[in-house]
Amino acid sequence: MQRPRFELPEALVMEILSKLPVKSLPRFNCVCKYWCSFQTPHFISNNYHNNLENDILNLLSRCDGNTFQPYFSQLSTEKDQNYIVKQNIHLPFFKDDIPSVYGACHGLLCLLDSSTDKAAIWNPSTREFKILPPSSIQRPPYFSPFEETYLTLDNVSFDNAAFGFDSKNDDYKVIRFVDLTFVNSEEEHPHPHFMDPVELYSLRSNSWKEIPSPDFTPTCTTLGNNYVDGICYWKTETGAYLDFRGLILSFDMGNEKFSILPIPEFVGSFPEYYVDLLVFNGSLGAIVYPSQRIDTSFDLWVTSEGVWTKQFNIKSISRVVYPLGFGKNGDLFLRDTNDEVLFDASTLEIKKLEINTYLDHFWFAISLHAYLESLVRINGIQEVEKYVIRQPTRNASNEY
């Protein structure tokens, strides 16, 4: 006797599948035609929100000191595994450059090379990447009213940027500060003149446009991501030496406007303290630590609706150079003179990590990014399979 066939409603099947991790979904594409609907915006959105707590990965951006090739180390998210390196992921497109990561949003990473015009958006989960078009900033000779002559463009760099989502227009955007340096080519020791135009990229239109520049420019990079709920943040400063005042420059991806926010003096004053902006549990935060230090202490401040609150203090850690950022479990990754260490926020303990970034890697290229896997599509190019490198680590010491 043939058993009756039992079928689940398709809507229920899609709901069940949307709860699966991203890496498990491609294998179901060949089950039936209807299941290929993984690519619909509705399913992608459901899968992303269903896995907000489960699919977060810790990615350590690194550069091999022997081959000069940039890559990511995916760290284990399990504390009992001491955040060992699970696999190393090479980057597409940037074969001879050392790009920086300027933000992670909805499973996408923005990669920019500050010394060239190269930029890309990349989804490591689907191996899709999109090369952004060249800069739109015009670079004609600059007329200096002080020297009463035209100056020649001497250098172009792209040192500060941010990546985020404009929910009003359902669009991913990249904002980039372009640093132009002009000199009088007829002088033996010319005095440089600087201009700082700003451009904004829209994934929907696949184009850059120049936007009005703010009165302030970012003074340094942030730790990991600098995007929170449609707003991008950078630290900036005003005043002269020994009279610095810290400010936060913000940019709204929706209305495309800049704003200035103060950093309260009790958070950290310049130049006695470094104040590094970051994202902590979905809110804008700041790690504050003394600029002159032997044994370093760290304070974490978080702002909510304009009110700053101290979350915790780490006292007297010897040999620590600077923080790298927060991982999946709210743990703070730090770099000391010999290795990486981890501050466990739940137990207030310091642990040494066995990641080995100092044996054959550039320490200045190391950064940490909390990354959430997703199926978000960017109408880009699929990495050629034979060039995709997802290497497991070679031995227990995590050497690459």
Side-chain angles (χ1 to χ4, degrees):
M1 180 177 177
Q2 186 176 9
R3 294 182 180 180
R5 185 176 179 182
F6 178 73
E7 294 186 1
L8 292 174
E10 294 289 357
L12 179 57
V13 172
M14 288 296 107
E15 181 65 23
I16 294 173
L17 293 177
S18 71
K19 299 180 184 297
L20 295 177
V22 169
K23 62 183 179 181
S24 301
L25 290 172
R27 70 186 67 171
F28 294 109
N29 274 326
C30 58
V31 174
C32 70
K33 184 177 181 180
Y34 185 78
W35 285 17
C36 292
S37 58
F38 295 148
Q39 305 303 324
T40 66
H42 177 73
F43 182 88
I44 292 173
S45 178
N46 283 350
N47 176 261
Y48 178 83
H49 288 94
N50 287 337
N51 289 282
L52 282 175
E53 298 298 326
N54 302 323
D55 279 4
I56 297 179
L57 305 177
N58 295 322
L59 295 179
L60 197 66
S61 177
R62 311 164 79 174
C63 180
D64 192 301
N66 298 318
T67 64
F68 303 99
Q69 290 297 306
Y71 68 97
F72 284 112
S73 287
Q74 179 187 332
L75 308 183
S76 167
T77 56
E78 302 301 326
K79 290 187 178 182
D80 58 356
Q81 297 181 10
N82 205 26
Y83 292 99
I84 62 172
V85 177
K86 296 182 67 175
Q87 64 174 346
N88 293 310
I89 308 171
H90 279 237
L91 306 182
F93 180 49
F94 294 91
K95 300 301 182 184
D96 301 312
D97 306 284
I98 304 178
S100 297
V101 180
Y102 285 95
C105 179
H106 298 172
L108 305 176
L109 298 177
C110 179
L111 308 175
L112 299 174
D113 182 1
S114 62
S115 61
T116 69
D117 200 9
K118 288 186 177 180
I121 298 174
W122 180 41
N123 186 330
S125 301
T126 62
R127 303 200 305 267
E128 183 185 16
F129 70 99
K130 186 176 186 65
I131 301 173
L132 306 192
S135 171
S136 64
I137 299 298
Q138 300 298 313
R139 308 169 189 177
Y142 166 68
F143 182 80
S144 171
F146 300 101
E147 300 189 25
E148 298 182 344
T149 185
Y150 282 96
L151 305 181
T152 304
L153 181 64
D154 182 62
N155 185 62
V156 181
S157 61
F158 307 86
D159 292 322
N160 291 281
F163 173 62
F165 182 65
D166 172 8
S167 59
K168 295 180 180 178
N169 299 293
D170 190 28
D171 193 9
Y172 291 93
K173 295 180 177 179
V174 179
I175 181 170
R176 180 166 67 177
F177 291 79
V178 183
D179 300 322
L180 304 179
T181 305
F182 294 87
V183 297
N184 187 340
S185 57
E186 297 181 357
E187 295 182 357
E188 184 177 357
H189 302 289
H191 177 72
H193 295 255
F194 303 99
M195 293 182 63
D196 300 290
V198 182
E199 59 183 350
L200 186 68
Y201 170 80
S202 162
L203 180 62
R204 181 174 288 274
S205 66
N206 190 33
S207 62
W208 294 94
K209 67 176 181 181
E210 186 172 357
I211 61 175
S213 300
D215 294 331
F216 300 89
T217 56
T219 55
C220 62
T221 58
T222 54
L223 295 179
N225 204 2
N226 61 338
Y227 165 83
V228 183
D229 295 334
I231 309 292
C232 303
Y233 300 93
W234 304 265
K235 191 185 75 174
T236 186
E237 301 169 357
T238 185
Y241 183 68
L242 297 180
D243 190 29
F244 283 131
R245 184 162 61 92
L247 299 172
I248 296 176
L249 176 65
S250 67
F251 180 77
D252 190 314
M253 287 289 190
N255 61 29
E256 300 181 357
K257 301 293 184 182
F258 286 99
S259 300
I260 286 291
L261 307 171
I263 299 179
E265 288 295 325
F266 58 78
V267 172
S269 58
F270 300 91
E272 290 85 7
Y273 291 91
Y274 290 126
V275 179
D276 293 338
L277 299 183
L278 45 72
V279 176
F280 179 77
N281 289 342
S283 298
L284 176 66
I287 285 284
V288 182
Y289 52 105
S291 56
Q292 301 295 330
R293 58 205 191 275
I294 299 176
D295 290 347
T296 305
S297 63
F298 293 88
D299 290 335
L300 171 66
W301 292 81
V302 174
T303 180
S304 176
E305 299 181 354
V307 178
W308 289 86
T309 305
K310 183 186 287 189
Q311 298 295 306
F312 59 71
N313 168 265
I314 311 173
K315 295 181 179 180
S316 299
I317 306 177
S318 62
R319 299 182 300 133
V320 167
V321 181
Y322 62 75
L324 291 174
F326 285 92
K328 172 183 177 180
N329 301 308
D331 298 328
L332 177 61
F333 287 74
L334 305 164
R335 187 178 76 82
D336 70 7
T337 52
N338 296 320
D339 222 321
E340 277 80 25
V341 294
L342 178 77
F343 174 72
D344 190 327
S346 60
T347 63
L348 304 182
E349 295 178 345
I350 297 293
K351 303 176 181 178
K352 181 179 179 180
L353 301 180
E354 303 294 337
I355 301 178
N356 265 351
T357 54
Y358 303 106
L359 298 182
D360 60 345
H361 303 85
F362 292 121
W363 64 265
F364 60 82
I366 300 169
S367 59
L368 180 74
H369 306 274
Y371 166 76
L372 179 64
E373 292 187 303
S374 82
L375 295 167
V376 173
R377 304 187 67 185
I378 50 179
N379 298 320
I381 304 170
Q382 199 72 19
E383 293 180 65
V384 179
E385 190 66 31
K386 66 179 181 178
Y387 295 127
V388 175
I389 302 177
R390 300 290 191 273
Q391 288 183 329
T393 53
R394 292 180 178 176
N395 53 49
S397 67
N398 288 297
E399 293 181 354
Y400 169 68

